[in-house]
Amino acid sequence: DVKVTQSSRYLVKRTGEKVFLECVQDMDHENMFWYRQDPGLGLRLIYFSYDVKMKEKGDIPEGYSVSREKKERFSLILESASTNQTSMYLCASSLGTGAQETQYFGPGTRLLVL
Amino acid sequence: GNSVTQMEGPVTLSEEAFLTINCTYTATGYPSLFWYVQYPGEGLQLLLKATKADDKGSNKGFEATYRKETTSFHLEKGSVQVSDSAVYFCALILLSNDYKLSFGAGTTVTVRA
């Protein structure tokens, strides 16, 4: 079974702090994704990566950056956390790109910014 | 642009009731369509998918048929159980959008014993 793990289930940070969210997948997948999930808005793509050291902006990249130094690990960084970044963050991975590709999701990190 | 519209929830049902969650899409091209499910406290997992018109996806008693003429992909289950309580997301993927998933807002379903 594909396993996608996220470093924390719950996180509380203060405004202005630098926040790191870590995601690891164990199936040698090429692609990794970061989404945020908000009530009534579904999932929105923040950043994705097709390969090590490569990254592409998603639909809402403002206020975020990412790092992919190793194939299995994809980090989301909030350079200076703000209260409007309070949300559920979901990481996903997929083997390749294409119309039939399934994305596998981690359990999510619920971030509260005070 | 590409978008997915789901019926608003929450939906509350009794066990063994029939469940339908409506999903329609707007896309410039021919997308593949997915239903993902999120059980309480967990991440999303793929429930079923269909990649071309008239395809039917099915899994765990759930079904959805890709209807190109009505741009719809409604999810149905004939007899729900308490364990089906979850949030259900309709999504599409499209070549012209670099194969990125576009999600609907999600529908929360609660099944009561």
Side-chain angles (χ1 to χ4, degrees), chain A residues 4-90:
Chain A
V4 180
T5 57
Q6 296 183 228
S7 53
S8 305
R9 293 300 298 271
Y10 301 95
L11 214 49
V12 180
K13 296 292 181 181
R14 295 201 178 279
T15 301
E17 279 192 78
K18 190 169 186 176
V19 182
F20 293 87
L21 302 182
E22 304 286 340
C23 175
V24 177
Q25 50 92 5
D26 67 356
M27 284 301 292
D28 203 33
H29 281 178
E30 300 292 328
N31 309 305
M32 297 189 75
F33 308 82
W34 274 107
Y35 296 89
R36 62 178 283 176
Q37 180 183 4
D38 299 289
L41 297 177
L43 275 72
R44 293 178 293 168
L45 182 64
I46 304 171
Y47 266 98
F48 60 104
S49 170
Y50 287 143
D51 200 354
V52 175
K53 296 191 186 295
M54 294 186 69
K55 60 185 179 185
E56 297 282 344
K57 292 180 179 179
D59 298 320
I60 52 163
E62 295 78 20
Y64 304 94
S65 62
V66 290
S67 173
R68 193 160 180 209
E69 296 296 318
K70 294 184 179 182
K71 190 175 187 179
E72 67 271 17
R73 188 179 298 269
F74 192 36
S75 303
L76 180 68
I77 304 155
L78 286 65
E79 294 290 342
S80 178
S82 62
T83 54
N84 63 13
Q85 292 178 309
T86 291
S87 187
M88 169 74 91
Y89 290 88
L90 292 169

Side-chain angles (χ1 to χ4, degrees), chain B residues 74-101:
Chain B
H74 304 322
L75 183 68
E76 296 182 337
K77 185 172 185 180
S79 177
V80 294
Q81 301 168 2
V82 172
S83 58
D84 293 323
S85 297
V87 183
Y88 293 83
F89 292 92
C90 188
L92 66 81
I93 203 166
L94 201 58
L95 167 62
S96 63
N97 200 31
D98 294 328
Y99 293 120
K100 291 182 287 185
L101 272 172

Side-chain angles (χ1 to χ4, degrees), chain B residues 43-89:
Chain B
L44 276 71
Q45 56 185 273
L46 179 67
L47 182 59
L48 54 83
K49 65 183 180 183
T51 58
K52 61 183 187 295
D54 299 325
D55 267 3
K56 178 185 283 187
S58 61
N59 186 25
K60 298 183 180 180
F62 289 89
E63 291 184 342
T65 302
Y66 188 162
R67 300 286 187 202
K68 182 181 167 186
E69 62 276 11
T70 55
T71 62
S72 64
F73 193 53
H74 304 322
L75 183 68
E76 296 182 337
K77 185 172 185 180
S79 177
V80 294
Q81 301 168 2
V82 172
S83 58
D84 293 323
S85 297
V87 183
Y88 293 83
F89 292 92

